[in-house]
Amino acid sequence: MTVRIDRREAAIEIMADHVLSEGLGAATLRPLAAAAGTSDRMLLYYFADKDELITATLNRIAARMIAQLDGAIPVAPRRCFSVLLKQVWVTMGSENLRPFMHVWLDLASGAARGVQPHRAVAGEIANGFLAWAAIRLELESDAPLFITSIEGMYFLKAIGRGDIADSALPALLAIAAHGDAD
């Protein structure tokens, strides 16, 4: 690797840490540069523009989250919907993943408003999570319903209505168990 690539990679790591601790709202050029120990002008030397910088940072955060999910829930053996749903729900509620989920909600909010690169990155992350779930489920075709269930439950938890998500979990598991038995 070149010095430029090494410094770019180091900056991405530091900026990912900064966004995870401060939130996506703190992902403006000057605070990111300060976190990386450089100037905003020098930071842009490593990236084509701010969108590329934000995209690289968010992709690094997504990769870290997937690595944590992989560590907690390996690919094999494939699981039925209800088993994977319970495992992911517990894992997503952990302290380790909380900062990632906060950034995800910030990103989703920007994507809902059509903000770029938020919308494009959020779509890529959703596709990645869909693929992650598909290779862990007995029925890959359950993956869209799976991520819709998890995302909806987490959203309710995030807005202070985890009670709704928790009360829906047994019904989702029962529906899934019926589908798993078919």
Side-chain angles (χ1 to χ4, degrees):
M1 281 199 201
T2 67
V3 171
R4 183 177 179 176
I5 292 171
D6 289 345
R7 289 186 180 158
R8 175 189 159 102
E9 287 300 309
I12 291 169
E13 285 296 320
I14 292 167
M15 292 184 302
D17 292 341
H18 176 76
V19 171
L20 285 168
S21 70
E22 303 299 323
L24 194 53
T28 58
L29 204 51
R30 285 195 178 137
L32 288 172
T38 190
S39 69
D40 50 348
R41 186 173 275 198
M42 191 63 194
L43 190 57
L44 284 175
Y45 170 74
Y46 302 116
F47 301 91
D49 55 27
K50 183 181 175 196
D51 283 356
E52 183 186 23
L53 180 149
I54 296 295
T55 298
T57 302
L58 291 171
N59 284 335
R60 183 63 48 90
I61 290 168
R64 286 183 186 178
M65 181 176 172
I66 289 295
Q68 287 200 25
L69 285 171
D70 286 346
I73 306 166
V75 173
R78 286 185 174 257
R79 298 149 185 88
C80 65
F81 185 101
S82 58
V83 168
L84 186 60
L85 186 66
K86 283 188 259 184
Q87 289 177 331
V88 171
W89 185 239
V90 168
T91 303
M92 287 177 69
S94 72
E95 284 296 317
N96 291 343
L97 285 181
R98 186 167 289 135
F100 294 92
M101 297 311 297
H102 291 167
V103 171
W104 173 244
L105 291 171
D106 288 345
L107 183 61
S109 176
R113 293 188 315 276
V115 174
Q116 290 295 357
H118 297 63
R119 189 173 187 99
V121 173
E124 291 171 18
I125 291 170
N127 288 341
F129 189 46
L130 181 68
W132 182 91
I135 63 173
R136 285 166 173 76
L137 286 164
E138 288 175 347
L139 297 174
E140 288 184 24
S141 60
D142 283 347
L145 179 60
F146 179 84
I147 68 166
T148 300
S149 300
I150 284 292
E151 294 293 345
M153 290 169 60
Y154 193 80
F155 175 79
L156 288 167
K157 184 176 180 175
I159 64 168
R161 293 308 312 265
D163 59 313
I164 296 172
D166 290 340
S167 67
L169 186 59
L172 278 169
L173 296 174
I175 291 166
H178 178 31
D180 293 338
D182 289 343

